[in-house]
Amino acid sequence: MAHDVQPQQPLWWQQGVIYQVYPRSFKDTNADGIGDLTGIIAKLDYLTWLGVDAIWLSPIYPSPMIDFGYDITDYTDIDPLFGDLATFDTLVAQAHQRGLKIIMDYVPNHTSDQHPWFIQSRSSRANPRRDWYVWADPKPGGSPPNNWLASWGGSAWEWDITTGQYYLHSYHKAMPDLNWRNPAVKEAMFDVVRFWLDRGVDGLRIDSAQRIMKDPQLRDNPPNPDLRGTTYKSFTDYDTQLHLNDKGHPDIHEVYRELRQLLDAYSILSPRVALGEMHIYDWKVWARYYGLQLDEIHMPLNFGLVSIPWKARTVQQLVDAVEAALLPGAWPNYVLSNHDEPRIATRVGPEQARVAMLLLLTLRGTPTLYYGDEIGMHDVEIPPEYIQDPSEKSQPGKGLGRDPERTPMQWDGTPNAGFCPPTVKPWLPIADDYKQTNVAIEREDRHSMLTLARALLQLRRTTPALSVGSYTPIEGVPDDCFVYMRQFGKQRHLIALNFSSNEQQVHLPKPGGRVLLSTHLDREESIELNTLRLRGDEGCIIEVGDTRT
Ligand code: GLC
Ligand code: CA
């Protein structure tokens, strides 16, 4: 079946490609080993050259950095490590001059325990900010109010000795959950949104978007009887429960409808977008966050590609299930890697990472590209003395650490890969292959991952079929292949991907076509589609129609 609800007038976030910058790791300009806003400004020309459309910045707000910026003490300022508001304004202005949009990370579920709101809240039960967070009495006997668990291990409740109650933290105990049932909290957090939209920000990536509304009665979660991972990766203890009551309470949709109205009010001159971090793998439940009238989150982020085995049939089933779950007009999106997941090159290997890049940039829906994936960066093993991530520190050795995918961007072959001066110790180690895997070298190499990523981005930009065209899977192809058609008007492009390292032959009852791009970057030629040969680990974009002259 063809999925062909093409937007009438595609908006920038439907047609464009989002690039995620993890600011600590992008470019350091003041020699402290930590990336900063001036560094991002310095690399805007690189991003324009690469051909992306929007930059999503992981958090840059003032923070004690327990969770590297996801623990915030002031939502309307910039941490001095990264710069200041004036530098941020320059970043927005410089990005906009180049036609690049800026998407801010927005962290509504929790603050830092050092946030003035929480300091007041915990100061006494009578404090006017007491009800800004989720406080509850112990059970008789003193144990926590219910059985909820923190994502990073242990109870989600922390005892506060001064006021004799527990507070809720879905993650680290230094990150207390805000009480979104308090209208004052909602208003304050909506004011935060207004603050950044007024500064010219083009969108928000809503962190832990599903968590803000919990069961108002704080009922226990039921057990997860067969200990099946409640998401795709094991969070150990956290997986012993079904997380029915500690997130995603139905009245969450009302909050997102209101947030959408706020964004819409700002969108008249320049459309703003909300992306929501949603670890939901039941696509019907996930799609609900678009809103029944498409009046909630523009794009609940889709982590399907991160969560499944790398097999052609499984990937096709995922794409088909996502397409089938979407209400008409809902715009899909795909994430291949991010700051919480192993990098694609590590998950599938360097050869298949090229196929994955071609997939990401030719599926129907907005792609999110993680910094460094365009040069084929892989996860870096972190020596014990370098470990930073609280999720690793809370449950050491269980493979939950996220430092390996957050290492500094590799710009060139000089010591520290051009991320920071050679004499400075970067906050995380540099990958040992930086002398070959870096922007400077790969720019000059006709067959590099960077050349491939850029060629794909250019082709996508100039080919409506690839960005906003319909998607139709082609059946009857070998098990290791995923083949689909993207079509816009008369423009038809066939995407053929070989997920194996063996040659595959695909037989298609179609006329001839022309290979516009192969992941091997070594062929552009007219072909017969009745026997299309794909070499091992090869993916192709083929313009369909007899193009021979
Ligand atoms: C989200 C972020 C992750 C962070 C967590 C708590 O999952 O992506 O990096 O640790 O929320 O804010
Ligand atoms: Ca710095």
Side-chain angles (χ1 to χ4, degrees), residues 329-379:
W331 187 247
N333 75 90
Y334 292 89
V335 175
L336 197 57
S337 300
N338 66 22
H339 64 296
D340 294 328
E341 310 295 340
R343 283 189 179 272
I344 184 69
T346 297
R347 293 196 329 259
V348 305
E351 290 83 16
Q352 279 296 315
R354 297 172 77 104
V355 174
M357 187 63 76
L358 198 152
L359 172 81
L360 176 73
L361 295 177
T362 59
L363 280 174
R364 192 180 86 99
T366 303
T368 300
L369 183 58
Y370 186 45
Y371 87 92
D373 276 2
E374 78 273 25
I375 56 170
M377 277 176 67
H378 58 74
D379 285 5

Side-chain angles (χ1 to χ4, degrees), residues 67 70 110 152 171 205 207-208 277 339-340 402 406:
D67 192 20
Y70 284 97
H110 43 265
W152 300 338
Y171 295 89
R205 175 265 186 191
D207 182 72
S208 305
E277 188 204 10
H339 64 296
D340 294 328
R402 300 165 297 178
R406 297 176 176 177

